[in-house]
Amino acid sequence: MPYTLWSRNRLLGETDLGFVFRLDGFRCGWFHPTEIGNRLMPVITGVAPALRARWALGPDATTEADVLSALDQRDALELELRGPDGAPIATEHIDIVDTHYLLELARSAPEPEEVPDEFDLDDESDVQALLEGRQPDDELPELDASWDEEVEHPRYQVQLRLVHHDAIP
């Protein structure tokens, strides 16, 4: 069922809001922008990088101003969700996330051996705790080799919260 996203009566794109159903009016799905939607994506998706910069650099006047500016620019677009019949659907907020940005964050994350871990395989008590409850004849699950294959996802995800939680079945 296609839902559309609008800004000041300009069609920005569509989504089926097809991700797993969430409670409390939260919905999300892949977002497929129109040509004008593509041109506005840097503004719409600019909040997450500004928040990440504030987190990485720490709170100061510049990073706080960047976050507020990104929020103001996005909010000025007056994003609106419409149903398949074209009628507006009230939302508390609408965000679009750049999947390429998220994947780049994952690629630049430190390797596991660089991250301190509370679990120590050399500590016998940690290993015993891990094995506790397992029986010698328990079968280990087979690993699916496809978990590490690169999957091509659409570029954007839309995430929103409905004012009336049951407005979308």
Side-chain angles (χ1 to χ4, degrees):
M1 194 176 244
Y3 297 91
T4 53
L5 189 64
W6 295 75
S7 169
R8 301 172 175 254
N9 288 319
R10 297 174 295 187
L11 175 63
L12 299 183
E14 68 176 35
T15 179
D16 64 0
L17 297 174
F19 288 8
V20 174
F21 174 80
R22 302 286 175 99
L23 296 176
D24 300 327
F26 182 77
R27 300 288 190 276
C28 52
W30 296 119
F31 180 71
H32 306 281
T34 60
E35 183 178 334
I36 192 166
N38 251 333
R39 289 188 303 213
L40 290 172
M41 283 301 111
V43 173
I44 298 170
T45 63
V47 175
L51 287 169
R52 179 145 179 85
R54 182 176 67 182
W55 173 81
L57 300 173
D60 70 9
T62 302
T63 58
E64 190 62 27
D66 290 344
V67 169
L68 293 174
S69 175
L71 286 167
D72 285 346
Q73 288 179 46
R74 187 205 55 207
D75 292 346
L77 293 173
E78 299 176 4
L79 299 177
E80 176 185 58
L81 178 69
R82 295 186 188 175
D85 61 356
I89 299 173
T91 58
E92 291 179 21
H93 72 271
I94 299 173
D95 290 309
I96 297 181
V97 179
D98 185 335
T99 305
H100 292 179
Y101 172 72
L102 293 178
L103 291 172
E104 189 54 41
L105 288 177
R107 283 186 198 99
S108 64
E111 290 297 320
E113 60 268 7
E114 297 175 30
V115 178
D117 194 345
E118 294 177 19
F119 185 85
D120 182 3
L121 283 175
D122 294 328
D123 184 338
E124 189 173 333
S125 64
D126 282 351
V127 174
Q128 287 295 50
L130 177 67
L131 296 175
E132 192 173 296
R134 289 197 44 85
Q135 300 301 317
D137 58 345
D138 283 351
E139 287 188 33
L140 294 174
E142 287 192 34
L143 294 177
D144 179 0
S146 65
W147 68 270
D148 64 348
E149 293 176 7
E150 189 75 21
V151 175
E152 185 66 34
H153 295 292
R155 173 106 192 232
Y156 302 104
Q157 302 173 33
V158 63
Q159 303 172 354
L160 57 87
R161 184 175 306 278
L162 302 167
V163 169
H164 307 288
H165 296 179
D166 59 352
I168 295 176

